[in-house]
Amino acid sequence: MGRLKQKGKAGAAKAYVTRSSAVKRLQCSLADFRRLCILKGIFPREPRNKKKANKGSTAPTSFYYAKDIAYLAHEPVLKKLREHKAFAKKISRALGRGEWSIAKNLEETKPTYRLDHIIKERYPTFVDAVRDIDDALCMIFLFASLPSNLRVSSSLIANCARLAAEWQLYIMHSQSLRKVFFSIKGIYYQAEVVGQSVTWLVPYQFTQNIPSDVDVRVMLTFLELYQTLLGFTFFKLYTDAGLVYPPPLDTSKDESGAGVGAFSLQETESTVPLSTPKTKNSVKTISSKEVRQTIKNIAANSAAVDPEPDMDVDYENEDPRGLDEEFVAQPSATEPNAVATLPTLHLLSSIPQTTSMKLFAPYAFFLSRESSRAIFEFLVRSFGGRIGWPASLGSGSPLQETDDSITHVIIDRPVTKKPNETVEERDRRLRRKYVQPQWIADCINAGKILLEDHYAQGKTLPPHLSPFGEREGAYDPMIGPTNQDAVDGEEDVMDSEQDDEDIPTPELAELGPGVNLADDPDALRAVELAAEVAGMDYTEFEKEIKKSQTKPKPSEAQTKDDGEQDMNKMLMSNKQRKLYERMKHGERKRAAEHAKLEQKRQHIEKEQRRKT
């Protein structure tokens, strides 16, 4: 006889747990449960049958995997949260009774927890951590621009600003920046770090405020995790680049508004680790890695030489690229005289950087006072350029305004004549190129130096397009339609006819096919009045009405294609048919957006031709 199944103890009812039952099982508050879920990466799940998962109840609730809740029950952070709850009760009791010495002792032994083990669990490899720091960087830069209040402490904001500066220092040192885009939300950056594309958003330097309807506790929990993640990641990046982490901070420069310049990058001294001294009782152990290495050396050399017993070989720190990645050329069976070449990782790492990484190296820039120093200092230095700024933007400028090496001035105000200009100032102004800030971003995205004439001071700028990957066939305002000349000719003819006649005509085509004027008397009355003003005969007016109401007949090829699509849809399953309809709906929506943007473009070009 088989085992009897009890209701609510198998299937979805056993696999899922509601949030209230999870909180009771963990014996913690709802706020602590939310914090644990954020730190451990556990989120609500959606069961296929909510009624079965909720044991027959249809009340709306959140479900979690039962295995995830059992995983949380053994979390060390949960134990620390319970200890903190007991600590809060003890210190409140001591303060209520006026026992100040006991309260002081309790404050000194306040329970704290660390998130190092959680970072190691969620990101087992360094590449996983780099791949997931996009949101962390966005959060760090956001909190670095917020003002301090009762909910967000000043020390937290200072720590976020320090992490943001450390990231910018590394990007400038490694010259990893690839793309930049000025948007309404802020500035989008994209860098190439350890073979991974990292994209983050930096808000503009405006006065920020924290909305009252935002749950800051949830954001602070994410920030707590992100700070630990970035600390581990930055340490690895800096040490791999041979730099000291954290970079030393000059407090005097920081107080004078030096920004990123207050940090100094220092290279680590290459020290060879000393081997541990041997004692009389110590026995040299040979690992399997050493055995494999010895066998490989014997196979490579005809006469093998055994190492001396007193020699300590450091196999752990030895670079494996020189042994495992050397390519041995083999003769080809078809072409014996052909030479086989294959680049190794060692050769690829020795390839020099491209010229786009040193894009601004031959130039020196100077910022005008209305330009943002934090943005353009980061952009110019990331591509090897030098930049200076006036004293109003902070101290530590490497270039002064009178420096003759300055080639470009980034300015964002209209052209004005300077009174009492000396001959020296005039010659200096003529030697330099005055460009608007968009020129820097467009040069970076294009990978080359663009002409400064289109970005000169006071000129109308070309469109600033997003450099990030757009879908294939998306609207590109820089590329005109294929029949642009024909459209321009038709528009010129229409403009000339309208200028000669200057008589308003009823636009019946705007009503579109399928619109019945008999059902809409107001529209019919408006069309009749427009025809009367234009002086149109009533018989001609009726013909135009009938012509506008007739639907265009589909072509033979279109009818055949529609029939084939209907036949294909009949052979599809219900799920495939719905997916196909969603795809077609998206294509129609994108085509309508494309046509709308193209129509706007034609209208703008038409207005510009009229003005000229």
Side-chain angles (χ1 to χ4, degrees), residues 505-512 517 527 536 541 544-545 548-549:
T505 57
E507 298 180 357
L508 300 178
E510 292 185 356
L511 298 174
L517 292 176
V527 172
M536 184 182 293
F541 173 72
E544 292 291 337
I545 289 291
S548 64
Q549 298 303 310

Side-chain angles (χ1 to χ4, degrees), residues 388-406:
W389 53 86
S392 59
L393 297 180
S395 64
S397 175
L399 299 175
Q400 300 300 323
E401 189 175 2
T402 58
D403 197 332
D404 293 334
S405 63
I406 296 175

Side-chain angles (χ1 to χ4, degrees), residues 117-185:
H117 64 286
I118 295 180
I119 299 299
K120 294 177 182 178
E121 290 174 3
R122 296 186 63 173
Y123 307 103
T125 62
F126 179 63
V127 177
D128 295 334
V130 174
R131 194 183 296 120
D132 202 37
I133 63 172
D134 295 353
D135 294 336
L137 291 173
C138 294
M139 184 76 76
I140 289 296
F141 279 95
L142 172 63
F143 272 86
S145 62
L146 292 179
S148 60
N149 55 14
L150 296 176
R151 295 184 290 179
V152 182
S153 63
S154 59
S155 61
L156 182 66
I157 294 175
N159 188 37
C160 291
R162 180 185 62 82
L163 290 172
E166 290 173 359
W167 172 253
Q168 288 183 336
L169 279 172
Y170 174 77
I171 295 299
M172 288 187 292
H173 174 76
S174 61
Q175 296 182 355
S176 305
L177 191 64
R178 295 294 177 268
K179 298 176 183 178
V180 60
F181 178 61
F182 299 148
S183 69
I184 299 176
K185 295 181 180 179

Side-chain angles (χ1 to χ4, degrees), residues 535-560:
M536 184 182 293
D537 295 337
Y538 186 72
T539 55
E540 187 178 355
F541 173 72
E542 285 186 344
K543 292 180 181 179
E544 292 291 337
I545 289 291
K546 292 180 180 179
K547 189 186 298 183
S548 64
Q549 298 303 310
T550 56
K551 294 183 179 180
K553 295 182 179 180
S555 60
E556 223 177 280
Q558 185 177 1
T559 307
K560 186 177 180 180

Side-chain angles (χ1 to χ4, degrees), residues 511-577:
L511 298 174
V515 179
N516 192 359
L517 292 176
D519 299 337
D520 195 352
D522 295 334
L524 180 60
R525 179 62 178 168
V527 172
E528 287 178 352
L529 290 176
E532 186 177 353
V533 171
M536 184 182 293
D537 295 337
Y538 186 72
T539 55
E540 187 178 355
F541 173 72
E542 285 186 344
K543 292 180 181 179
E544 292 291 337
I545 289 291
K546 292 180 180 179
K547 189 186 298 183
S548 64
Q549 298 303 310
T550 56
K551 294 183 179 180
K553 295 182 179 180
S555 60
E556 223 177 280
Q558 185 177 1
T559 307
K560 186 177 180 180
D561 293 341
D562 293 342
E564 289 182 358
Q565 290 181 2
D566 293 339
M567 291 291 294
N568 293 333
K569 286 170 64 176
M570 291 174 62
L571 299 176
M572 295 180 184
S573 63
N574 190 21
K575 184 177 181 181
Q576 293 175 344
R577 191 182 303 111

Side-chain angles (χ1 to χ4, degrees), residues 10-30:
K14 186 179 179 181
Y16 293 95
V17 178
T18 61
R19 189 179 66 177
S20 57
S21 60
V23 170
K24 290 180 181 178
R25 186 177 300 181
L26 296 177
Q27 296 181 2
C28 63
S29 61
L30 182 59

